[in-house]
Amino acid sequence: MASSTSRSTDGSPVATLVAVAVVTAALILLMLVTGHGTPRLGIDLAGGTSVTLTARSDDRAAVTRTNMDTAVGIIQQRVNGLGVSEAEVQTQGDDTIVVTIPNGAGRQAAIDQVGTTAKLYFRPVLAIAPSGSKPVPAPSPTASTPTAAPVSAASVTPAGTGSAGPAGRALAQALMEPAPSAAASAPLPPSGAATPPAPASARPAASEAAVVQDGVPAELRAQFDGLDCEDPAQRKDYQRDPAKPAVACSSGAQGGVWFKSILGPVAVDGTNISSATVGFDVQQGAMWQVQLAFDDSGSKRFAEVTGKLAANSAPKNQFAIVLDGQVVSEPSVNGPIPGGRASISGNFTQKTAEGLANVLSYGALPLTFVKSDVTMISPHLGSDQLRAGLIAGAIGLALVVVYSLVYYRGLAVVSVIGLALAALLTYVLMCLLGAAIGFALTLPAICGAIVAVGITTDSFIVYFERIRDEVREGVPLPLAVRRAWPRARRTVLISDFVSVLAAGVLYVLTVGRIQGFAFALGLTTLLDVAVVFLFAKPLVTLLARTAFFSQGHRLSGLDPQRLGARAPLHRVRHRRPVTPKEA
């Protein structure tokens, strides 16, 4: 038996094992309480959707490798921003991008957003009319027209409403709200002046004529007169030059009526938005809103333009928010808005508001894409592959257990229990990480976990062989366990460090399911370190104190006779070396 001195150098193995048991039980309880008892499956196991996007551009020279790579990066960020993991975004050929999205939360939102160009412009409104009517001149504002008091950024709310059109469909719905009253958006005319027509935000009936500013080019006026937004083919992006006026359709119909607009040159570009977040405004009727922050250039320009618009009568005091060529709202401006912040409030849910903020946060795509193909991927093939992978892993684990029992006999109980603990912790962590960070279990990830079985077994073998080497030298087992640990520990750490380093490099340099393999390999390798240090070492220390192992029973796996041990170390007499002075 080991002395009290030797036991003190081993630490407290019982306390360590109890701590491991408590942590393991706590993780299992957390998994069960949160309802995440199964891991999240990737597209190859659970099925999903493959969306093929084809670039469309009037200038074919714009479809370059650089623009395609930029589009891939933006789409990947949008999908990740929705919490969808294991999605693959890859180019195919010169003008095609294939996006593979697994089933699960956020899938439909990702499908809606992947091809959305998200070109956002702020343009002053020159004319608004129901589709089919013609504009008439509006009275020009006089110098005596009073300016309404400035309003805060949060009070600038959209006025559009209705269902979304083809372009920007899902995002347009997030910006729609009932139109504000005319009194809230139009300044009063001076005494004696003609009463201006009702503001466009009030949406006149289809038979009424809308107003238009003077100076609209005749060609643009003719295009406006002939525009029929009720025809889906005509609800497209007419913005060819941001520096010139353009016509546009609304993003949806109100009361069955579509509206069209003449818009001035771009006043503020969507690229000037530095951030877009989602907030909840309780003061304005408890509604979700998208809060925009402009950069320095955009802030200055936004304040200047809103100040000018506030001096005009409706609809010339309205700011059209144009997303992918369609007007999603025309909020009225009552005063200049300094500070570089504005809020788009609307009758939309948290989910749709987050979708809008997501695409605005990562910018517009450099090219226009159309969904040329949307294919559903069946999970049946994945379930067969999963079953085959699990069977292969079970066979490999069984062979490792049989080998350990045959070669290490009683000592194999440490490796068997250690492998079971590592497998349990791996499963629990994968379930929890699936809910926490969206980690999805794929076939490559399962391969990474199976590879880790070999890594953990190798760590046990290194420690066992170091102990056997000490026993062969005639060292008593408790002392052999302590002497073998420093050298075994160094070997295990170096080996696992190489595995983690390889997994990290692979994770950074690859995408999609290969990242799943790298993540699973790195995770299980770190678990191997924890199991060897916090479980194997304390358990072996305790077993070395039992008579079955310390006395070298033939079934213990540490029988000195079977190992060819020398004479016990305490029977060997060592002479102190003679120093030169003593000689």
Side-chain angles (χ1 to χ4, degrees):
M1 299 296 290
S3 66
S4 59
T5 303
S6 66
R7 290 190 181 188
S8 63
T9 59
D10 293 328
S12 180
V14 174
T16 303
L17 292 175
V18 170
V20 170
V22 170
V23 171
T24 303
L27 290 175
I28 296 174
L29 182 62
L30 178 62
M31 177 187 70
L32 297 177
V33 169
T34 56
H36 302 297
T38 56
R40 183 177 180 180
L41 301 181
I43 190 170
D44 54 351
L45 301 178
T49 305
S50 176
V51 181
T52 302
L53 304 174
T54 304
R56 291 287 184 264
S57 177
D58 294 336
D59 182 10
R60 292 300 301 174
V63 186
T64 63
R65 187 67 183 180
T66 300
N67 284 339
M68 292 291 290
D69 291 341
T70 301
V72 167
I74 293 174
I75 293 174
Q76 186 75 60
Q77 288 177 317
R78 289 183 186 176
V79 174
N80 292 340
L82 292 170
V84 179
S85 62
E86 298 297 331
E88 294 183 359
V89 184
Q90 299 175 332
T91 56
Q92 191 176 83
D94 296 330
D95 61 352
T96 303
I97 294 178
V98 179
V99 184
T100 307
I101 306 169
N103 288 332
R107 181 186 67 88
Q108 188 56 50
I111 294 173
D112 293 336
Q113 289 189 17
V114 289
T116 304
T117 308
K119 290 182 178 178
L120 185 69
Y121 294 128
F122 294 83
R123 289 176 175 263
V125 176
L126 304 181
I128 302 175
S131 185
S133 65
K134 298 181 179 181
V136 295
S140 300
T142 63
S144 60
T145 301
T147 302
V151 294
S152 66
S155 64
V156 179
T157 56
T161 184
S163 59
R169 184 186 187 99
L171 303 179
Q173 292 175 346
L175 295 173
M176 298 170 189
E177 69 168 356
S181 63
S185 58
L188 297 175
S191 178
T195 302
S201 59
R203 294 302 193 194
S207 60
E208 299 178 10
V211 295
V212 64
Q213 284 186 332
D214 294 330
V216 175
E219 181 180 354
L220 186 63
R221 189 190 302 259
Q223 185 182 13
F224 179 81
D225 293 342
L227 181 60
D228 182 10
C229 293
E230 295 182 0
D231 182 3
Q234 296 192 40
R235 294 197 293 265
K236 59 183 181 179
D237 191 352
Y238 294 95
Q239 303 174 110
R240 295 293 178 264
D241 188 349
K244 295 181 179 180
V247 298
C249 290
S250 60
S251 60
Q254 177 184 355
V257 179
W258 286 87
F259 288 86
K260 56 186 178 180
S261 305
I262 298 180
L263 309 176
V266 173
V268 182
D269 197 316
T271 57
N272 293 124
I273 296 176
S274 59
S275 67
T277 57
V278 175
F280 192 74
D281 190 355
V282 180
Q283 297 179 351
Q284 296 193 15
M287 61 177 63
W288 290 99
Q289 60 182 208
V290 178
Q291 299 169 345
L292 305 178
F294 296 94
D295 57 21
D296 293 339
S297 175
S299 299
K300 182 178 179 180
R301 184 60 182 158
F302 191 70
E304 293 176 354
V305 174
T306 53
K308 293 179 180 178
L309 291 178
N312 298 332
S313 58
K316 295 176 292 181
N317 68 336
Q318 291 180 254
F319 221 162
I321 301 176
V322 188
L323 181 65
D324 289 345
Q326 292 191 332
V327 178
V328 293
S329 65
E330 298 110 341
S332 300
V333 179
N334 295 334
I337 304 177
R341 291 188 173 274
S343 297
I344 304 176
S345 302
N347 186 22
F348 51 89
T349 64
Q350 179 183 4
K351 184 176 180 180
T352 53
E354 288 175 345
L356 173 64
N358 185 52
V359 295
L360 295 182
S361 296
Y362 301 116
L365 297 179
L367 299 168
T368 300
F369 289 90
V370 295
K371 296 177 183 177
S372 54
D373 183 57
V374 178
T375 304
M376 302 299 295
I377 301 176
S378 172
H380 296 300
L381 178 60
S383 62
D384 294 339
Q385 294 174 330
L386 175 61
R387 188 180 302 107
L390 294 178
I391 292 175
I395 293 175
L397 184 60
L399 291 176
V400 169
V401 170
V402 171
Y403 172 80
S404 298
L405 291 173
V406 171
Y407 192 75
Y408 290 107
R409 302 193 178 191
L411 196 60
V413 68
V414 179
S415 61
V416 172
I417 299 177
L419 287 174
L421 177 62
L424 177 61
L425 289 175
T426 299
Y427 180 84
V428 172
L429 288 178
M430 285 185 174
C431 292
L432 295 177
L433 290 175
I437 63 174
F439 171 75
L441 185 64
T442 61
L443 281 175
I446 294 176
C447 292
I450 293 176
V451 169
V453 173
I455 295 176
T456 304
T457 303
D458 182 65
S459 298
F460 289 137
I461 291 175
V462 168
Y463 188 27
F464 295 163
E465 289 301 322
R466 291 293 187 185
I467 296 174
R468 284 186 159 195
D469 288 343
E470 295 294 334
V471 172
R472 291 187 182 98
E473 295 294 329
V475 179
L477 184 59
L479 181 60
V481 169
R482 294 207 321 273
R483 292 181 57 174
W485 173 244
R487 290 184 293 174
R489 176 182 60 197
R490 187 181 307 111
T491 304
V492 169
L493 287 176
I494 293 175
S495 175
D496 286 349
F497 174 76
V498 173
S499 297
V500 171
L501 182 62
V505 172
L506 195 62
Y507 184 86
V508 172
L509 298 182
T510 58
V511 296
R513 284 171 284 182
I514 303 302
Q515 281 187 327
F517 170 82
F519 185 87
L521 179 61
L523 175 65
T524 49
T525 302
L526 293 176
L527 283 177
D528 168 56
V529 175
V531 169
V532 171
F533 276 67
L534 301 178
F535 175 78
K537 169 60 168 58
L539 183 58
V540 170
T541 301
L542 289 178
L543 294 178
R545 298 174 184 175
T546 64
F548 180 80
F549 285 94
S550 62
Q551 295 179 7
H553 191 280
R554 62 187 183 87
L555 295 180
S556 67
L558 295 171
D559 181 6
Q561 185 176 357
R562 291 179 61 87
L563 295 176
R566 301 177 184 177
L569 186 63
H570 64 273
R571 296 182 182 178
V572 180
R573 303 180 64 179
H574 296 279
R575 293 184 178 180
R576 183 173 57 85
V578 180
T579 63
K581 292 183 178 181
E582 293 175 339

